[in-house]
Amino acid sequence: EVQVVQSGGGLVQPGGSLRLSCIASGFTFSSFWMSWVRQAPGRGLEWVANIKEDGSQKYYMDSVKGRFSISRDNSRNSVYLEMSSLRPEDTAIYYCARDGETWLGPPGYWGQGALVTVSS
Amino acid sequence: EIVLTQSPDFQSVTPKERVTITCRASQNIEDRLHWYQQKPDQSPKLLIKYASQSFSGVPSRFSGSGSGTTFTLTINSFEAEDAATYYCHQTGSLPRTYGQGTKVEIK
């Protein structure tokens, strides 16, 4: 059974930093792209970033470029989202998800989500 | 950036009714269009990938069609448990984008 379990999240002041983690199981982790998707309170879904199976390619939405960094550790079946220079508009539930075996593949398995609140 | 526009924004339906949601893309995305269901306080669930392929474990009453710029999600014989918000999502071009969502409620 495919499982994606997230940790991290919480309250952080504007300009602060936070790290989200995600550990996956039930599949060959090193064969799949992974993504982060967020959802502001009461709003729709927004793609944040994704990373290739071997970590050699990473893509970001424009508003987080230079502030967020996606990474993975295939030996730990884990993917991370390092967030810095956080802004109130980054407040959202952040979901980790397993993509397909190519960069076209949609997120098919999602974590439970982690709430990030940026506020003073 | 490819903009996905869903219609309608909201729909109130009776059980066993057929439900149709449309997603229009601002550019040709071939079949790189996927559909999700999200219930309150839950993570999204993939229903349909690549316009018409059912994802594992999804009930057969859910189906998708379309290509290019116009896509449709159909729920045949709506059930109470299908009350949710539905999103289309494209992976054909970066940045990946989602539609604004269609909320479907029981009448």
Side-chain angles (χ1 to χ4, degrees):
Chain A
E1 179 193 4
V2 174
Q3 288 193 321
V4 178
V5 179
Q6 301 180 223
S7 59
L11 175 64
V12 61
Q13 292 188 337
S17 299
L18 204 59
R19 186 199 206 202
L20 303 180
S21 300
C22 167
I23 185 163
S25 61
F27 64 97
T28 303
F29 183 77
S30 58
S31 295
F32 289 86
W33 287 67
M34 297 293 293
S35 284
W36 289 94
V37 177
R38 70 185 183 184
Q39 187 169 35
R43 304 295 296 273
L45 300 169
E46 186 174 50
W47 170 78
V48 175
N50 62 351
I51 184 168
K52 193 179 179 183
E53 302 99 312
D54 61 359
S56 62
Q57 296 179 33
K58 304 174 185 181
Y59 301 99
Y60 301 90
M61 62 182 299
D62 282 350
S63 65
V64 306
K65 284 179 183 175
R67 300 188 299 121
F68 289 15
S69 177
I70 188 172
S71 62
R72 65 191 293 162
D73 183 343
N74 287 350
S75 69
R76 298 176 185 269
N77 283 9
S78 295
V79 63
Y80 309 98
L81 187 67
E82 297 271 6
M83 303 181 292
S84 63
S85 302
L86 281 160
R87 306 166 179 167
E89 55 265 35
D90 295 319
T91 294
I93 296 173
Y94 285 74
Y95 295 102
C96 171
R98 191 198 88 171
D99 282 0
E101 292 172 304
T102 73
W103 74 279
L104 293 172
Y109 297 92
W110 296 59
Q112 79 277 20
L115 177 61
V116 173
T117 303
V118 184
S119 175
S120 54
Chain B
E1 171 174 321
I2 293 177
V3 177
L4 299 179
T5 303
Q6 292 181 227
S7 59
D9 290 331
F10 175 82
Q11 194 165 6
S12 182
V13 303
T14 55
K16 297 188 180 181
E17 186 177 342
R18 187 182 193 188
V19 176
T20 300
I21 300 170
T22 298
C23 178
R24 289 187 168 82
S26 59
Q27 299 174 38
N28 183 355
I29 53 173
E30 300 181 23
D31 67 344
R32 284 84 186 262
L33 190 284
H34 322 286
W35 290 97
Y36 290 85
Q37 177 193 68
Q38 187 180 32
K39 297 180 180 179
D41 299 319
Q42 293 188 17
S43 304
K45 293 181 180 177
L46 179 62
L47 298 174
I48 303 291
K49 59 180 181 176
Y50 298 107
S52 62
Q53 298 176 25
S54 293
F55 190 61
S56 174
V58 174
S60 59
R61 62 183 180 274
F62 292 93
S63 63
S65 64
S67 68
T69 61
T70 303
F71 302 86
T72 300
L73 173 70
T74 300
I75 310 173
N76 283 302
S77 192
F78 185 85
E79 297 187 7
E81 66 183 35
D82 301 333
T85 299
Y86 292 85
Y87 294 94
C88 58
H89 171 51
Q90 68 82 19
T91 58
S93 175
L94 291 175
R96 292 181 169 187
T97 50
Y98 289 84
Q100 80 277 16
T102 295
K103 188 172 185 178
V104 182
E105 290 189 349
I106 291 277
K107 189 177 290 183

